[in-house]
Amino acid sequence: MVDVLPLVEARLTTALGEPDARAAVTFLGTERIEVLRFQEGDVVRYATLGMSAHPMTDPTAMLADPVKGPRAELVLSVRAGVADTDKVLRPLAVLAASPQVEGLVVTPGGSLDVGDPLWPGAPFTSVLVGEPGGLVEDLELDDPMEPVRFLPLLPMTPNEAAWKRVHGAQALQERWLANGTDLRDPARRSVPLE
């Protein structure tokens, strides 16, 4: 069995540079999840490391396949210096542990909610899972393992999350685009939804 985490970390450092900080969180009954921080100009990126150690399994499956199934890590990008975003480390680790803890399969277009602000004073309690392949390329693994996808997280206000549940992820992304929403602004307001 291949240990995918060194390969995942190498892919992250190739795409984003060397991390300037890292933190590890372990939840009862789960393996350790690390969150790496990368600084690039006025943007800080947080990437999980550990979520892809095992494939995500459909919770209705009778038996979890130890090899086959989707693998992913999460990447959040925000503007530096606007808010205390380093406090997002624990919520990100919680989201990254959700496949192990809740049997959740994280896919683009889905929502993940932590129930509390992502960082102190944040107007966001949830994120929209974006499409992979933009910032960090997928990491191909040997057959029959599926590639590791690096899924961008787009913070949503509670109103945006509620609107997305009714209208869908694509409609919310179109609304953000039409309004020129800066999704990296850690203090942004909700997009107009009327």
Side-chain angles (χ1 to χ4, degrees):
M1 188 78 159
V2 179
D3 183 2
V4 301
L5 296 185
L7 302 173
V8 169
E9 186 168 358
R11 175 57 53 96
L12 285 168
T13 54
T14 299
L16 305 175
E18 286 296 321
D20 66 351
R22 66 194 312 142
V25 180
T26 305
F27 302 101
L28 187 63
T30 67
E31 293 182 25
R32 177 175 135 135
I33 301 284
E34 287 190 86
V35 179
L36 312 181
R37 184 181 72 190
F38 302 87
Q39 186 88 33
E40 182 187 330
D42 70 337
V43 175
V44 62
R45 301 185 201 285
Y46 301 94
T48 63
L49 179 64
M51 183 176 166
S52 63
H54 303 284
M56 294 180 275
T57 307
D58 182 342
T60 62
M62 291 293 284
L63 215 52
D65 190 315
V67 178
K68 293 180 183 174
R71 295 175 189 256
E73 296 291 352
L74 308 174
V75 181
L76 173 70
S77 301
V78 291
R79 299 227 174 273
V82 179
D84 187 11
T85 56
D86 278 352
K87 296 283 194 296
V88 78
L89 300 177
R90 185 166 178 78
L92 265 183
V94 167
L95 296 178
S98 61
Q100 286 183 58
V101 175
E102 301 171 31
L104 187 68
V105 178
V106 179
T107 56
S111 302
L112 299 172
D113 196 323
V114 293
D116 290 312
L118 292 175
W119 52 83
F124 318 107
T125 59
S126 63
V127 292
L128 175 66
V129 181
E131 291 290 335
L135 188 62
V136 183
E137 282 184 41
D138 293 350
L139 173 64
E140 296 293 332
L141 300 173
D142 294 336
D143 274 342
M145 294 190 289
E146 291 186 30
V148 176
R149 302 200 186 305
F150 298 88
L151 302 172
L153 300 181
L154 311 171
M156 292 188 292
T157 66
N159 285 347
E160 290 171 338
W163 197 84
K164 181 248 175 204
R165 279 192 292 278
V166 174
H167 300 281
Q170 183 67 38
L172 178 58
Q173 290 176 309
E174 288 169 6
R175 182 66 55 118
W176 282 336
L177 194 59
N179 284 275
T181 305
D182 180 3
L183 296 174
R184 294 181 180 166
D185 180 356
R188 74 172 180 83
R189 295 174 186 255
S190 184
V191 71
L193 298 170
E194 284 79 43

